[in-house]
Amino acid sequence: KPEVKIVVTYPDGLTREGDNLDLTCIAEGKPHPHQINWLRVDEDVPPHAVVTGSDLYIENLNKSYNGTYRCVASNAVGEAYDDYILYVYGMYYS
């Protein structure tokens, strides 16, 4: 089965309102995973989220995007996933 890991490319630290979020899904396995899908657990991915291959990019975050984002990778042997829990902090949270 694949091994899947989500890496936060941006930001480095708290995710705040108005920030952009860039996640990369790293999937490895033998055979190499042929498919990578992003989804949001129990909800739809925000409409303006951009998925480019293994990357998920959301700009101008707000609290309505809070939730669990999942990267699912599959190969001939099976599928595996990793979760990223997004919590968007208010502008003035310190």
Side-chain angles (χ1 to χ4, degrees):
K1 279 197 337 186
E3 287 187 11
V4 185
K5 183 171 188 254
I6 295 173
V7 176
V8 182
T9 313
Y10 185 87
D12 185 16
L14 295 179
T15 41
R16 300 179 195 276
E17 283 183 301
D19 273 356
N20 299 336
L21 174 69
D22 198 354
L23 301 177
T24 299
C25 181
I26 297 172
E28 294 170 352
K30 289 183 178 173
H32 192 77
H34 59 272
Q35 192 170 7
I36 291 178
N37 287 323
W38 281 98
L39 57 94
R40 185 176 173 194
V41 178
D42 298 331
E43 290 179 80
D44 291 335
V45 171
H48 70 283
V50 178
V51 175
T52 313
S54 59
D55 287 10
L56 173 70
Y57 178 74
I58 306 173
E59 59 182 15
N60 196 15
L61 291 174
N62 71 54
K63 291 180 179 181
S64 70
Y65 304 157
N66 285 353
T68 303
Y69 291 80
R70 177 172 292 174
C71 168
V72 183
S74 48
N75 64 11
V77 183
E79 68 173 37
Y81 65 85
D82 191 22
D83 286 349
Y84 171 80
I85 297 170
L86 174 63
Y87 183 82
V88 179
Y89 291 87
M91 285 284 222
Y92 306 107
Y93 183 86
S94 56

